[in-house]
Amino acid sequence: NAGVMQNPRHLVRRRGQEARLRCSPMKGHSHVYWYRQLPEEGLKFMVYLQKENIIDESGMPKERFSAEFPKEGPSILRIQQVVRGDSAAYFCASSPAPAGLSGNEQFFGPGTRLTVL
Amino acid sequence: DAKTTQPPSMDCAEGRAANLPCNHSTISGNEYVYWYRQIHSQGPQYIIHGLKNNETNEMASLIITEDRKSSTLILPHATLRDTAVYYCIVRINTNAGKSTFGDGTTLTVKP
């Protein structure tokens, strides 16, 4: 059973460009979470999605960031007009049911490292 | 979710038990204690979780005090590959999905 897959693993963008980060959850998982980790810092929750629905976006910056998890295909985290401060590792996690419920763990992907020049 | 406090760093000799403490004095009755670790540059890895009873799996043991205000993660025979940042998280048992990661403890296993 393949784990959570993220691509690309490394992404370089110039200021003002768009970044698209993809996350394919584990088979059978319909809940996806995105976290951001700035250099030398801990992980910060961004958004929680279930197929076609955003459940909790309390950690998403108000502008330039959006996320989707369509019925078919991977979840996408989109960052428009990137700035240097967006440089970070972005991790995706998935679970078969809401991770708040005991026994439903979040399985993390390897991350996408975004560098904004 | 309740706040957790962990020491910023710890060392452990290879082959010895590593005991990582976590304080969660404001934990409420329906919040679970979870432990994850993050080996350098990799995604976090789930280790173990518990509510009030001690738990053990193939990776580690979790000891939760009777008042649930603190817990200890035990790696019984630490290896060099256990060097990582260990995160203690408390999470309410609801449909809320997010985990709130603190700064964690950097465990360095030394030969």
Side-chain angles (χ1 to χ4, degrees):
Chain A
N1 184 13
V4 177
M5 300 177 70
Q6 291 187 249
N7 67 79
R9 295 291 305 276
H10 299 273
L11 181 61
V12 179
R13 286 287 178 266
R14 297 190 180 278
R15 281 180 297 171
Q17 292 184 318
E18 178 180 285
R20 280 180 176 252
L21 289 63
R22 295 174 184 77
C23 169
S24 296
M26 288 180 68
K27 187 177 181 180
H29 289 194
S30 60
H31 299 256
V32 165
Y33 318 81
W34 286 92
Y35 292 81
R36 177 167 65 175
Q37 188 170 34
L38 295 170
E40 307 302 323
E41 295 189 14
L43 285 87
K44 304 298 182 189
F45 168 80
M46 299 182 76
V47 63
Y48 162 34
L49 309 101
Q50 189 183 0
K51 281 289 186 180
E52 300 185 275
N53 292 305
I54 295 175
I55 308 301
D56 180 356
E57 56 182 348
S58 58
M60 286 281 270
K62 294 289 185 275
E63 297 177 346
R64 302 188 297 109
F65 285 72
S66 62
E68 62 177 9
F69 188 18
K71 187 176 181 180
E72 301 292 337
S75 175
I76 305 289
L77 179 67
R78 182 182 177 205
I79 311 172
Q80 295 178 289
Q81 300 176 320
V82 296
V83 300
R84 288 215 175 105
D86 296 332
S87 294
Y90 292 82
F91 291 98
C92 165
S94 74
S95 64
L101 300 178
S102 178
N104 292 304
E105 286 320 303
Q106 294 177 333
F107 295 87
F108 283 82
T112 293
R113 276 144 191 85
L114 172 66
T115 301
V116 180
L117 301 177
Chain B
D1 292 344
K3 179 179 171 59
T4 62
T5 305
Q6 299 177 253
S9 63
M10 293 182 64
D11 291 343
C12 177
E14 187 179 18
R16 305 297 292 268
N19 297 283
L20 293 93
C22 179
N23 182 287
H24 31 80
S25 58
T26 59
I27 193 170
S28 60
N30 58 351
E31 287 183 312
Y32 281 71
V33 179
Y34 291 78
W35 284 82
Y36 288 81
R37 73 179 181 184
Q38 187 176 24
I39 297 171
H40 182 63
S41 297
Q42 298 181 22
Q45 176 189 22
Y46 164 79
I47 301 173
I48 199 167
H49 76 284
L51 181 63
K52 52 185 176 181
N53 298 320
N54 298 336
E55 302 289 343
T56 296
N57 62 21
E58 64 278 5
M59 289 183 67
S61 295
L62 174 60
I63 307 299
I64 302 174
T65 58
E66 192 168 341
D67 63 6
R68 304 206 327 119
K69 293 183 184 299
S70 65
S71 61
T72 301
L73 178 74
I74 301 172
L75 307 178
H77 306 287
T79 70
L80 299 179
R81 288 179 294 181
D82 291 322
T83 293
V85 180
Y86 287 77
Y87 296 99
C88 168
I89 296 163
V90 291
R91 195 163 71 203
I92 197 165
N93 190 33
T94 67
N95 287 330
K98 67 181 180 182
S99 295
T100 302
F101 288 80
D103 294 330
T105 295
T106 299
L107 174 68
T108 303
V109 180
K110 298 184 174 181

